[in-house]
Amino acid sequence: MSEEVEEHGIRINIKGTFHAPKKNEVMYNSEMVVNRSLVLCALAAYYESGLCTNSQVRCLDALGATGVSGLAWAKHFPKVDVVINDQSPAATERITSNAATNNLQVNITSEDVSVLLHQRPFDFVFLDCYGSSVHYLDAAFRNAPKHSMLAITSTDDSALYGKATDVTLRNYGGYVVKTSYAKELAARLVLGSVVRAAAKSNKGVEVVCCVALKSFITVMVRVLRGPAAANTCVRKIRRVIHCCVCEDRAFYPETVYPLEEPYSLLSCDCRSKSAGKLAVELGPVWCDEIFDANFCQAMLTQANNLQLSHKVISLLQTIVSEGKCKGEPGPDESVGGDKENTVSGMAEHTSAQTEKEEDDEEGEEEEKEGSQHQPCHSLEEDNDGERSPKRMKMDHPRLKSPAFYFNLHRHSPKGHDLGKINRVVDYLQRAHHKASRTHFDPEAIRTDCTLREFTRLLLEFSQTQN
Ligand SMILES: C[S@@+](CC[C@H](N)C(=O)[O-])C[C@H]1O[C@@H](n2cnc3c(N)ncnc32)[C@H](O)[C@@H]1O
Ligand SMILES: [Zn+2]
């Protein structure tokens, strides 16, 4: 193996590095380059946004290893102040030599990251954790300035995807099972912990981007200061009712009262067909927006400026489209997605609020977007003539980008050929629904349809194809 690699224009000595290092070994994982590219784009978008309240953007590559991220920031944005930290002496030695090789001036520290984050403020922090990020979250928010940004990477798949439920409960205070929308559920689980940590420091967050690929989940948030922002955010951590039969799902409403008929939150009628415990309560998880489409668009612009790989650009294009999750399509609008997947016959299944926000500000804030409620479904005949179950009135705001997505393999009508996914997206949009591809699953559609509406529209669509 070559002893030096180049990444984002930086030469990195990877001699004796490991994907999963032991004590006194240094980590380098080439599979995480996409993640580092996304964080580089986020810093670029943040830098260009002018939102930083400090005259110089103070950046922290908090768990630096070889320093590969922080050094790329210093190279591409010479005006930012970069600190690269790692508590391992072997890592800081490597960071020092890599900085010298690339002739870059960065500050290198060897602190426990929680201590460092308690000592001084940073405007842009990248926490690239082995496993769970939860151990650092309280510290990350302690000194976080107004409008600063955090990019948080987690790799603890077994806890996030429901394979180690005790660890999920311990680290995230929640419960998840394997679902066909597991990646977004995991990102929302992490965000629940992020929001709770922020709230303890009287802060809230705006989620600007969430990415979950095979080997990592990264959530990026902008910090909002003040107890009002914290209050607004903690109310957006809710449980999800998940039907184990058909995988319909819905957030619980915000209420202190026990729900008499939780099944009525779902659009499916599995309950009426069989008895027993057919649903589970997942989470609690973050139930609000997970993309700021403008910020994601700015990241995409920066990815093009930085001439990043096709993989990163195409990923960001899909993220922008799911962040917008458009309604009726315009003439040449892309619905996102890397390739025109065909639904049938696919062999393998891959799987500001405004600134009411100073530290001393008190008082309740009404959710400004909270006026638009989800539709109230009552016991009525559907278009297909079937009687729908009575659905409970929802109190959450209608999201710009609806939560979760439906995998077409899981929900397609049996024996019907749906053809190209983008055409299904187009069909849903023409039926006045929000719809887009999603980067979380190349064979799924994000939409504001209920599962019941979705399966009806898929059937209708497949009939138009024949
Ligand atoms: C996942 S690796 C970081 C990888 C790096 N960001 C990259 O892209 O190659 C995590 C690093 O955090 C360091 N680390 C672990 N716990 C730490 C702590 N509490 N404070 C500071 N560094 C820590 C480890 O020595 C290791 O180098
Ligand atoms: Zn069901």
Side-chain angles (χ1 to χ4, degrees), residues 83-153:
V83 174
I84 308 180
N85 177 68
D86 200 298
Q87 74 176 2
S88 146
T92 45
E93 227 174 79
R94 188 65 63 101
I95 298 164
T96 307
S97 70
N98 284 330
T101 306
N102 291 280
N103 209 8
L104 290 166
Q105 298 293 320
V106 289
N107 300 305
I108 299 162
T109 54
S110 187
E111 301 272 4
D112 179 306
V113 66
S114 298
V115 174
L116 181 60
L117 286 163
H118 272 97
Q119 281 169 347
R120 43 193 279 215
F122 292 95
D123 305 293
F124 185 91
V125 176
F126 177 29
L127 277 167
D128 183 14
C129 309
Y130 286 138
S132 178
S133 52
V134 293
H135 318 292
Y136 312 117
L137 294 179
D138 287 359
F141 284 99
R142 182 68 189 86
N143 281 312
K146 173 177 166 179
H147 292 166
S148 59
M149 271 199 63
L150 296 170
I152 301 158
T153 297

Side-chain angles (χ1 to χ4, degrees), residues 242-249 263 266-271 278-279 451:
H242 168 87
C243 175
C244 303
V245 180
C246 71
E247 297 209 78
D248 194 10
R249 70 306 292 255
Y263 282 93
L266 296 167
S267 71
C268 68
D269 58 357
C270 300
R271 174 79 171 158
L278 298 178
L451 178 55

